[in-house]
Amino acid sequence: MKAIVVHQYGGPEVLKWEDYPEPAAGPGEVLVRVAATSVNPIDYKRRAGFTKDFYPINFPGLMGVDVSGTVAKVGAGVVDFAAGDPVFAMADNTYAEFCVVKAAILAKVPKGLDLIEAAALPLVTTTGNQLATATGIKAGQTVLVAGAVGNVGRSAVFTAKQLGATVIAGVLKRQAEDAKSAGADQVVATDDESAIANLPPVDAVADTVNGKTAEMLIAKVKPGGVYASVVGAPRNAEKFPAVKVATVYSSADRKTLVFMAEAVRDGKLAIPIGPRLPLSQAAEGQAAAEKGGIGKVLLLA
């Protein structure tokens, strides 16, 4: 098969379109013929070597997390899937014409959802859902989602609203108009210190940005509240011992993925999609994604 093969850490130019051994589905696994994958920040951070201490690439190796496609073969013991089923998942080594996915985390693409566009959803929607859930927010409480116009942030806003919370979208001033499409109840500019200072205390924060913004926002969480983050704890977290800090690492979950995908299909959640490129042009796709502001980059196998 053809795949994007990485032989060393570096810039987008290390992503090579080459022949690579086709994987085989073992017991409890499914071989998926890839229709599309998408570019996530973890992909280019991993390519650059920023995650090599905890998420290395074994050279020559593959990368990629999101996948949508059709079932090619099923391994022993797999009864939920059959050849030809349209499926999607958070997986590994998805920048390839074929990839193997554990059947337990693979999901069928909901009817009415485009197979290619389904590739944009697994990592960001699952992460956003799990971020919002990690805040422990309950109906009637208020949560601020920092980075609410990003794909993980949008997914967190949607999930928090489903839980019955009042949601404040924390965005940059220039993103205020975009924030209206995220579905939050209120908007606050996180690059306006006076706006943050005047913000009433909140029950929780769901953070996707960290940095100086995080240091300001943790001070707005009520004692006993939760500061959940996918980008690590605020640097000044120790100054707020009454606030529980929860670091969120996304984990594949079929039920969550289908729930979020159905919300996208039904128009309840919007994940903006940008360029669609051949998988062979993954280097170009990652370079574009790193610049930002273009929606999800899809790579079509």
Side-chain angles (χ1 to χ4, degrees):
M1 70 173 184
K2 288 287 191 179
I4 294 295
V5 185
V6 186
H7 296 269
Q8 64 187 67
Y9 293 119
E13 71 279 356
V14 304
L15 302 177
K16 305 295 185 182
W17 182 241
E18 298 177 354
D19 290 320
Y20 197 83
E22 184 178 312
E29 295 179 335
V30 175
L31 180 67
V32 175
R33 182 184 299 275
V34 178
T37 180
S38 73
V39 179
N40 292 290
I42 190 64
D43 296 336
Y44 43 81
K45 290 176 183 177
R46 193 176 178 217
R47 181 211 72 219
F50 297 149
T51 68
K52 60 186 177 182
D53 291 339
F54 60 92
Y55 192 22
I57 300 174
N58 297 316
F59 304 125
L62 308 185
M63 59 186 310
V65 178
D66 290 330
V67 64
S68 68
T70 54
V71 173
K73 295 179 183 177
V74 297
V78 175
V79 297
D80 294 340
F81 300 96
D85 284 345
V87 292
F88 67 145
M90 269 176 64
D92 291 308
N93 303 331
T94 63
Y95 282 24
E97 291 181 320
F98 291 89
C99 74
V100 166
V101 185
K102 290 183 185 344
I105 61 171
L106 188 65
K108 292 180 181 177
V109 176
K111 289 182 179 179
L113 181 65
D114 182 81
L115 179 65
I116 299 297
E117 294 184 358
L121 307 182
L123 181 61
V124 295
T125 63
T126 299
T127 302
N129 178 280
Q130 293 174 349
L131 172 62
T133 302
T135 65
I137 203 76
K138 295 179 176 60
Q141 294 185 318
T142 300
V143 58
L144 187 149
V145 178
V149 296
N151 295 316
V152 172
R154 287 172 177 272
S155 301
V157 169
F158 168 76
T159 302
K161 288 298 297 177
Q162 293 297 299
L163 294 170
T166 295
V167 181
I168 302 172
V171 298
L172 301 176
K173 290 177 186 176
R174 59 181 172 79
Q175 297 171 324
E177 195 63 31
D178 288 343
K180 294 177 182 178
S181 68
D185 299 287
Q186 304 168 36
V187 177
V188 65
T190 54
D191 53 348
D192 182 341
E193 292 190 18
S194 63
I196 298 297
N198 292 326
L199 187 70
V202 297
D203 297 289
V205 168
D207 182 22
T208 72
V209 298
N210 208 326
K212 183 180 178 181
T213 299
E215 294 180 37
M216 291 190 294
L217 292 180
I218 193 171
K220 307 305 296 188
V221 181
K222 296 176 183 177
V226 178
Y227 195 101
S229 174
V230 293
V231 284
R235 286 187 291 265
N236 60 341
E238 72 283 350
K239 295 181 180 179
F240 302 92
V243 176
K244 178 185 176 183
V245 176
T247 300
V248 178
Y249 301 97
S250 59
S251 58
D253 182 86
R254 179 195 293 174
K255 184 177 179 181
T256 297
L257 178 55
V258 170
F259 172 73
M260 298 298 281
E262 288 177 344
V264 172
R265 178 199 63 191
D266 296 341
K268 299 175 182 177
L269 169 63
I271 301 297
I273 293 176
R276 303 174 187 226
L277 300 171
L279 179 56
S280 60
Q281 295 178 23
E284 182 181 325
Q286 284 201 4
E290 283 188 84
K291 292 178 183 177
I294 57 172
K296 259 316 197 129
V297 176
L298 299 182
L299 303 174
L300 281 56

